[in-house]
Amino acid sequence: MSEISVDSQGASHPMDGPVSPSGGGGKLLRWFAVLFLVFLVLGVYAVLQRRTEHRVLAEQTEQMAVPFVSVIRATPIEGDSEMVLPGNLKAFMESPIYARTNGYLKKWYKDIGSRVKDAELLAEIDTPEVDSQLAQARAELTTAQANLTLSGITAARYQDLLKTDSVSKQDADNANGDLAAKRAMVQSAEANVKRLEDMESFKHVYAPFSGVITQRNVDVGNLINAGNGGAATKEMFDLSKIDPMRVFVSVPQSYGPSIREGIRACLSLSEIPGRTFCGRVVRTANAIDPGTRTLLTEVDVPNPSGVLLPGAYAQVHFDAKLSGKRVTLPINALLFRPEGTMAAVVGPDRRLNLKKITIGRDFGTTVEVLQGLDPEDPVVVNPPDSLEQGEQINVTPENAAGSPNAQGAQGSKP
């Protein structure tokens, strides 16, 4: 507001010059400044809060990207242990028995499980066609023999007449030639009769060796086809010789030098507890299978009572001791890579170290590790195929304290 001055005559005049602000205007400016500072602080706080949230989210995402794994430790095996390997039992001899002639099954005498002796009758086949052919061949043989007799008489007469020049030498030679032809026809007829007699003898099916009938595939009235060349042809019986039994064992390459012909080996079967069946190593393949890296070994075991059955599974205890530092791992702790079999070991820095291992014996749920692993190594159980060398991982809480998960290691002792 402008100030007014009063002169000596009493007239008032406005005065020029600046006007001082009032108290209300200053307060308004101060309020604007305070609000500006408040909004500025709130904005800075919001930006900092958002940056913190982004950083925490990134850290959590990174932590969640690191896989969690469970670990176990391998189970040591004693320094000296018995060599125990799985084996498959097979019959000493196995033979499918086919028919050698065509016809219909007339009767069978032995069923599955029957014990038969060598050359014992198993079945009879009705062969009407072969019987008719044999009868015809015998009649033809009789005719040929009669013609031969007549030709022989004629040739002898011509020889006598030739001495008196009653016939020409040509006629005598013709008679002798006819005699030779008739003799050949007799021989041919005899061979045909012999062939058909052999075919007819095949109507009786005999056991080629002593054993047990494991399969009967025919019944009375079935059409029987000779041989085993067609798709419709099927063996009549399956015969197995089960005394002795052959036991085939795949011995790992590392144990191949311990296997020798003549060493003792005993079988144990879970279905026959408390009993062992002992035999000896009779032969090996003398070659390592490149697919499995094993040596095929045969053990022959006497089986006079027939307790051991073909196709059964057994544990074979070889009379050979194993020495050295070895451990076992469950099969669900193995990684199969193009480089070979590996185990994923967790290092002190929580990074993976993929170790290549050498496998020994297979115990079913566990395998023996000959090289590449220490008993103290924490091994990842059920490792994903995506694990890579040096990858960062997290150990599950139950393993973080250092106590290995013993569930995967139980039962790993041979």
Side-chain angles (χ1 to χ4, degrees):
M1 296 179 62
S2 300
E3 293 183 359
I4 300 175
S5 62
V6 180
D7 59 8
S8 60
Q9 288 82 17
S12 61
H13 300 279
M15 296 181 60
D16 297 331
V19 180
S20 61
S22 65
K27 289 181 180 180
L28 183 62
L29 290 176
R30 285 194 297 271
W31 275 110
F32 276 118
V34 170
L35 289 175
F36 175 77
L37 291 176
V38 169
F39 282 117
L40 179 62
V41 171
L42 291 175
V44 172
Y45 176 79
V47 172
L48 294 177
Q49 182 69 17
R50 184 170 298 180
R51 288 183 178 179
T52 302
E53 291 177 353
H54 279 290
R55 186 179 68 256
V56 172
L57 179 61
E59 292 176 354
Q60 292 178 350
T61 303
E62 184 177 356
Q63 291 178 357
M64 293 177 63
V66 178
F68 280 83
V69 297
S70 298
V71 297
I72 60 172
R73 286 183 171 80
T75 303
I77 301 178
E78 294 78 4
D80 292 330
S81 62
E82 184 182 32
M83 184 189 298
V84 183
L85 297 172
N88 297 314
L89 278 67
K90 293 190 66 176
F92 192 80
M93 286 192 295
E94 294 178 326
S95 176
I97 301 176
Y98 290 87
R100 291 287 289 116
T101 186
N102 299 325
Y104 296 91
L105 187 67
K106 183 177 180 180
K107 189 175 182 180
W108 53 265
Y109 296 96
K110 300 297 179 181
D111 208 342
I112 60 172
S114 299
R115 295 180 179 272
V116 299
K117 300 294 184 181
D118 185 16
E120 188 172 354
L121 182 63
L122 302 180
E124 289 185 23
I125 302 173
D126 188 13
T127 58
E129 294 180 356
V130 176
D131 295 343
S132 299
Q133 292 174 3
L134 178 59
Q136 180 182 358
R138 285 173 175 169
E140 292 174 352
L141 175 60
T142 301
T143 300
Q145 289 173 342
N147 291 333
L148 175 62
T149 301
L150 180 59
S151 295
I153 295 173
T154 301
R157 287 175 179 175
Y158 269 79
Q159 289 296 328
D160 293 340
L161 293 174
L162 183 61
K163 295 177 182 178
T164 59
D165 294 329
S166 300
V167 294
S168 65
K169 191 172 186 322
Q170 180 64 39
D171 293 337
D173 292 341
N174 289 340
N176 290 331
D178 183 67
L179 175 62
K182 294 297 192 295
R183 185 178 293 113
M185 292 178 64
V186 169
Q187 293 175 351
S188 176
E190 288 175 346
N192 190 35
V193 169
K194 179 65 169 61
R195 179 182 67 84
L196 291 172
E197 286 177 347
D198 291 341
M199 291 292 294
E200 190 180 34
S201 68
F202 293 143
K203 67 169 58 177
H204 298 96
V205 181
Y206 298 97
F209 52 82
S210 299
V212 176
I213 300 294
T214 59
Q215 192 77 6
R216 177 179 61 84
N217 301 310
V218 291
D219 213 335
V220 174
N222 288 161
L223 176 64
I224 305 299
N225 295 318
N228 61 346
T233 305
K234 193 174 184 180
E235 66 267 26
M236 299 178 64
F237 300 93
D238 287 335
L239 181 63
S240 298
K241 183 178 181 179
I242 61 173
D243 183 24
M245 292 287 291
R246 298 179 190 263
V247 184
F248 290 97
V249 183
S250 295
V251 179
Q253 177 180 345
S254 56
Y255 299 144
S258 302
I259 299 299
R260 303 179 307 277
E261 293 185 9
I263 68 172
R264 192 168 179 262
C266 294
L267 311 184
S268 61
L269 290 81
S270 58
E271 62 271 23
I272 312 177
R275 291 190 61 182
T276 57
F277 306 86
C278 296
R280 297 196 176 274
V281 175
V282 294
R283 61 184 61 85
T284 66
N286 286 324
I288 300 297
D289 185 348
T292 60
R293 304 300 178 187
T294 56
L295 175 67
L296 185 62
T297 303
E298 178 186 337
V299 179
D300 285 357
V301 180
N303 187 31
S305 60
V307 177
L308 301 177
L309 302 178
Y313 169 86
Q315 291 287 339
V316 184
H317 302 253
F318 290 93
D319 191 11
K321 296 298 182 180
L322 303 177
S323 59
K325 185 178 180 181
R326 301 177 310 281
V327 296
T328 61
L329 270 182
I331 56 176
N332 60 348
L334 303 180
L335 275 173
F336 300 97
R337 297 291 175 87
E339 300 84 1
T341 306
M342 295 187 172
V345 178
V346 180
D349 55 354
R350 298 296 176 89
R351 292 189 177 275
L352 287 179
N353 180 18
L354 299 182
K355 290 187 175 183
K356 187 175 182 180
I357 59 178
T358 302
I359 298 298
R361 293 170 289 175
D362 187 349
F363 302 118
T365 58
T366 61
V367 294
E368 182 182 27
V369 180
L370 301 178
Q371 295 178 353
L373 196 66
D374 294 328
E376 298 80 13
D377 290 336
V379 182
V380 177
V381 65
N382 295 318
D385 292 335
S386 58
L387 293 181
E388 299 294 339
Q389 177 72 23
E391 181 178 352
Q392 183 75 37
I393 56 93
N394 290 322
V395 180
T396 53
E398 60 266 24
N399 296 145
S403 58
N405 183 7
Q407 182 178 1
Q410 286 181 357
S412 61
K413 275 193 177 185

